[in-house]
Amino acid sequence: MSIWWSLHLRREAASVPLARRFLLGTMETAGVDPDISFDLSVALSEACANAVEHGGDRTVLGEPGDSGTGRPSADSGQYRVTAYLDGEKCRIEVSDSGPGFPARRALRPAGHSPQADAESGRGLDLIQQLSDHVQFGNRPGHGAVVSFDKVLKWREGALLTV
């Protein structure tokens, strides 16, 4: 047995705890170990916060020959969270419609945190620390995608055990 769900959320701060609670509720019901659930919920919160903050600056060009000023994309006010729980792992994906990651965005090796006074990057670093596997990427013309997964541990008598 497995569980899969997807949420389309507005790019508003209130959507972040909503996504987090939805994930925690699903994992508690399924019987996932609370420590694993907490780690994934914090990573999800960071990914959602990034989508809210950075996920909607992409514009759509008008007529041919447009000067490039464009108008906001119709989907720039929302982002998507998708989660898959199966017998051995949970995979979470957060995608937005913003400009995406810079072309030279590279994952830092484990243990190389951004400087304490850095304005950005701490959330992505935290996602890396709390997950077993992380991917940051861009969808051509569609914004950024952050996906991460973690091997699950189960409580005694859990519904979805291997």
Side-chain angles (χ1 to χ4, degrees):
M1 183 174 168
S2 63
I3 297 174
W4 172 90
W5 53 260
S6 185
L7 301 172
H8 294 260
L9 301 165
R10 289 187 185 197
R11 285 184 47 244
E12 298 173 355
S15 68
V16 177
L18 175 67
R20 182 178 175 146
R21 288 184 195 126
F22 200 90
L23 178 67
L24 284 169
T26 301
M27 295 180 114
E28 181 179 346
T29 300
V32 175
D33 177 83
D35 291 336
I36 299 294
S37 297
F38 179 78
D39 287 353
L40 284 170
S41 72
V42 171
L44 174 62
S45 295
E46 293 297 330
C48 290
N50 282 341
V52 167
E53 183 175 347
H54 305 290
D57 298 326
R58 186 171 61 89
T59 58
V60 176
L61 296 179
E63 299 297 318
D66 191 342
S67 66
T69 56
R71 65 186 186 284
S73 168
D75 61 353
S76 66
Q78 48 186 309
Y79 66 101
R80 181 186 316 189
V81 176
T82 305
Y84 308 88
L85 279 82
D86 64 26
E88 64 182 55
K89 75 176 177 179
C90 176
R91 180 171 182 80
I92 298 171
E93 180 177 290
V94 177
S95 59
D96 64 45
S97 57
F101 292 104
R104 295 181 187 220
R105 167 75 180 127
L107 296 179
R108 284 182 289 277
H112 288 82
S113 300
Q115 294 180 346
D117 60 350
E119 286 294 317
S120 64
R122 290 179 294 217
L124 297 176
D125 189 58
L126 189 55
I127 293 168
Q128 285 182 268
Q129 292 177 30
L130 295 170
S131 304
D132 294 331
H133 182 257
V134 181
Q135 287 184 290
F136 300 108
N138 294 325
R139 298 181 301 159
H142 293 97
V145 179
V146 176
S147 60
F148 51 96
D149 57 57
K150 190 168 184 83
V151 173
L152 298 175
K153 294 179 187 171
W154 299 93
R155 294 189 322 250
E156 180 99 16
L159 296 175
L160 296 181
T161 56
V162 178

